[in-house]
């Protein structure tokens, strides 16, 4: 059953997203989702218990391991059965369809993960997908941090190839979303000095290889 949105979509917005993905491989946008949707997500995730989260691991499948020198966030996988995710997943489905329509990526489905960074948490430079070795093709990251201040740290740093300096620094402000082609951009999360939430979706092709 297809989930229906409780708000109206702007098709030109999806066209703009796809145009920027086609020309530069990434897009940073603000207030893509209505405020009431963002607050519903925030209320839902802050109501989760500590038992819903687990220490984030690196690696794939049986090779996964927890390495706190690389990442210290905690994660919770989200799904459409959670009431507060209703509009988010419906919007994400429309993004998937738009990207397939404009860019012919053949995205088949998505997986969504909430990451919580306590003060002192970070995630060192990494790729979401290595070319040809995973079925993740597109990444979106939605930030859910009201009243975020520069002193809080926790920025997303995006790199091109082996470059040392990031070409894009994104503050994790409430309602900001970053969307990029998963195989192209190494990125990291700088040291956070404040509670920090991000909701990441990976959109996958159906090549029979499980996500990691």
């Amino acid at each position: 059953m297809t989930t229906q949105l409780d708000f109206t979509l702007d098709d030109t917005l999806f066209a703009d997203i796809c145009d920027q993905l086609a020309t530069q491989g990434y897009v940073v946008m603000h207030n893509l989702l209505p405020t009431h949707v963002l607050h519903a997500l925030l209320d839902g995730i802050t109501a989760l218990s500590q038992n819903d989260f687990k220490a984030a691991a690196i690696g794939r499948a049986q090779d996964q391991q927890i390495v706190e020198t690389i990442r210290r966030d905690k994660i919770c996988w989200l799904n459409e059965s959670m009431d507060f995710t209703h509009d988010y997943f419906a919007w994400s489905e429309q993004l998937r369809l738009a990207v397939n329509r404009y860019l012919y990526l053949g995205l088949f489905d998505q997986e969504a993960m909430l990451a919580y960074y306590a003060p002192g948490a970070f995630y060192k430079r990494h790729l979401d997908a290595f070319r040809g070795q995973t079925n993740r093709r597109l990444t979106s990251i939605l930030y859910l941090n009201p009243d975020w201040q520069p002193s809080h740290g926790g920025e997303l740093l995006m790199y091109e190839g082996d470059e040392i300096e990031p070409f894009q620094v994104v503050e994790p402000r409430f309602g900001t979303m970053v969307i990029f082609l998963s195989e192209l951009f190494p990125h990291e999360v700088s040291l956070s000095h404040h509670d920090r939430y991000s909701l990441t979706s990976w959109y996958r092709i159906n090549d029979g290889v499980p996500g990691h």
Side-chain angles (χ1 to χ4, degrees):
M1 180 180 297
T2 301
T3 303
Q4 298 298 316
L5 281 159
D6 290 337
F7 58 93
T8 303
L9 289 171
D10 181 357
D11 288 337
T12 61
L13 193 59
F14 286 113
D16 186 28
I17 290 171
C18 292
D19 182 61
Q20 293 191 58
L21 288 174
T23 56
Q24 62 187 21
Y26 76 97
V27 57
V28 180
M29 305 190 83
H30 309 283
N31 304 314
L32 281 176
L33 296 173
T35 301
H36 76 273
V37 175
L38 296 172
H39 280 288
L41 282 169
L42 181 61
D43 290 345
I45 64 178
T46 53
L48 294 171
S49 78
Q50 289 297 316
N51 293 332
D52 293 317
F53 290 84
K54 64 179 182 178
I58 61 171
R60 300 180 62 186
Q62 67 272 15
D63 296 325
Q64 284 192 344
Q65 55 183 319
I66 296 170
V67 183
E68 290 194 347
T69 56
I70 295 177
R71 67 183 301 187
R72 292 187 180 176
D73 56 314
K74 294 184 177 182
I75 63 170
C76 174
W77 294 97
L78 303 183
N79 59 69
E80 294 176 74
S81 69
M82 300 171 170
D83 289 341
F84 66 90
T85 67
H86 171 95
D87 278 329
Y88 172 78
F89 276 106
W91 187 92
S92 296
E93 173 65 6
Q94 294 308 307
L95 173 64
R96 183 187 71 82
L97 294 173
V99 169
N100 283 346
R101 185 166 62 250
Y102 283 95
L103 303 180
Y104 307 104
L105 288 189
L107 302 177
F108 181 73
D109 65 359
Q110 68 160 305
E111 53 186 351
M113 182 196 77
L114 174 67
Y116 166 63
Y117 289 75
F122 57 84
Y123 191 174
K124 290 190 175 181
R125 183 168 171 160
H126 64 284
L127 269 172
D128 280 355
F130 292 98
R131 191 174 296 278
Q133 296 182 10
T134 178
N135 56 358
R136 291 177 176 174
R137 289 294 182 269
L138 187 71
T139 300
S140 71
I141 308 173
L142 174 65
Y143 296 108
L144 296 164
N145 306 296
D147 303 317
W148 194 261
Q149 303 298 318
S151 61
H152 293 165
E155 299 92 350
L156 176 74
L157 311 180
M158 297 181 67
Y159 300 88
E160 290 185 303
D162 296 325
E163 293 294 322
I164 296 174
E165 295 297 323
F167 73 90
Q168 186 72 240
V169 177
V170 182
E171 291 187 342
R173 295 184 177 276
F174 192 64
T176 294
M177 181 179 278
V178 185
I179 305 170
F180 58 91
L181 298 176
S182 304
E183 296 175 329
L184 293 187
F185 300 108
H187 52 283
E188 67 179 296
V189 177
S190 65
L191 182 68
S192 183
H193 305 294
H194 195 274
D195 289 341
R196 176 192 186 277
Y197 289 100
S198 57
L199 201 175
T200 300
S201 280
W202 291 283
Y203 302 83
R204 309 180 298 185
I205 62 171
N206 188 21
D207 65 357
V209 178
H212 67 284

